[in-house]
Amino acid sequence: MKSIAVRLTVATVLIALVALGGSLVASMLVLRRTSEQTAAQARETARAAIADALRDEGTVLAQSFAAQAANPLAAWDFARLRDLARSLNGSGEIVGAFVVAVDGTLMADGTDRPALRRARSPRPPVREASTREHDSLLEVSLPIDFED
């Protein structure tokens, strides 16, 4: 028979091991959850930084397009407007470039279809610069200032 001292020592060691094991499991769960949260935050930060950079680049391209379109628009030079829109439509990540009048009339879209047709836009005319994201696209809209 084992002495009471040995039994108490074994029991104490078992209790300590169980407590240590529980603490280890709890620590692993907390570490895993924290790691997942940190990774999610890093992904969101990276996504936001990329979106901001794309928004800035899109805005600069739109400003350049608007500045180049001002004179042809004032002169009603639809061929030049078409060529400007076409040059953007065929480059890089740009899905489309359009010149739309305040009343919704499509002035140029980079195609050979006739100008001065009604554009189907669910949104009101652009009165100030704006950007919006939808369907994995970034839309940049700017008014074109020109003198008649």
Side-chain angles (χ1 to χ4, degrees):
M1 253 194 118
K2 295 183 182 179
S3 73
I4 295 263
V6 171
R7 286 184 189 173
L8 286 175
T9 303
V10 169
T12 304
V13 168
L14 285 175
I15 291 171
L17 287 175
V18 168
L20 182 62
S23 296
L24 183 59
V25 169
S27 296
M28 289 173 56
L29 291 174
V30 168
L31 180 61
R32 181 176 177 177
R33 183 173 179 188
T34 303
S35 175
E36 290 170 354
Q37 289 174 341
T38 302
Q41 288 172 344
R43 281 190 300 273
E44 180 57 29
T45 300
R47 188 207 67 75
I50 291 169
D52 287 345
L54 289 173
R55 190 175 296 106
D56 292 345
E57 182 179 348
T59 300
V60 168
L61 280 171
Q63 289 169 338
S64 175
F65 178 66
Q68 292 177 40
N71 286 337
L73 190 58
W76 293 81
D77 185 351
F78 297 110
R80 182 69 187 128
L81 286 172
R82 178 200 61 219
D83 292 343
L84 284 170
R86 184 178 288 162
S87 70
L88 279 179
N89 288 344
S91 64
E93 302 291 322
I94 297 173
V95 175
F98 308 93
V99 178
V100 180
V102 173
D103 67 357
T105 302
L106 183 64
M107 306 299 276
D109 63 357
T111 68
D112 289 327
R113 291 179 285 178
L116 297 176
R117 63 187 189 277
R118 290 294 287 171
R120 295 183 182 155
S121 177
R123 296 190 322 126
V126 174
R127 304 237 186 252
E128 60 185 37
S130 68
T131 60
R132 72 180 187 127
E133 295 178 49
H134 58 92
D135 299 331
S136 300
L137 297 174
L138 176 66
E139 179 182 304
V140 181
S141 302
L142 293 172
I144 298 174
D145 296 321
F146 66 93
E147 299 294 325
D148 281 335

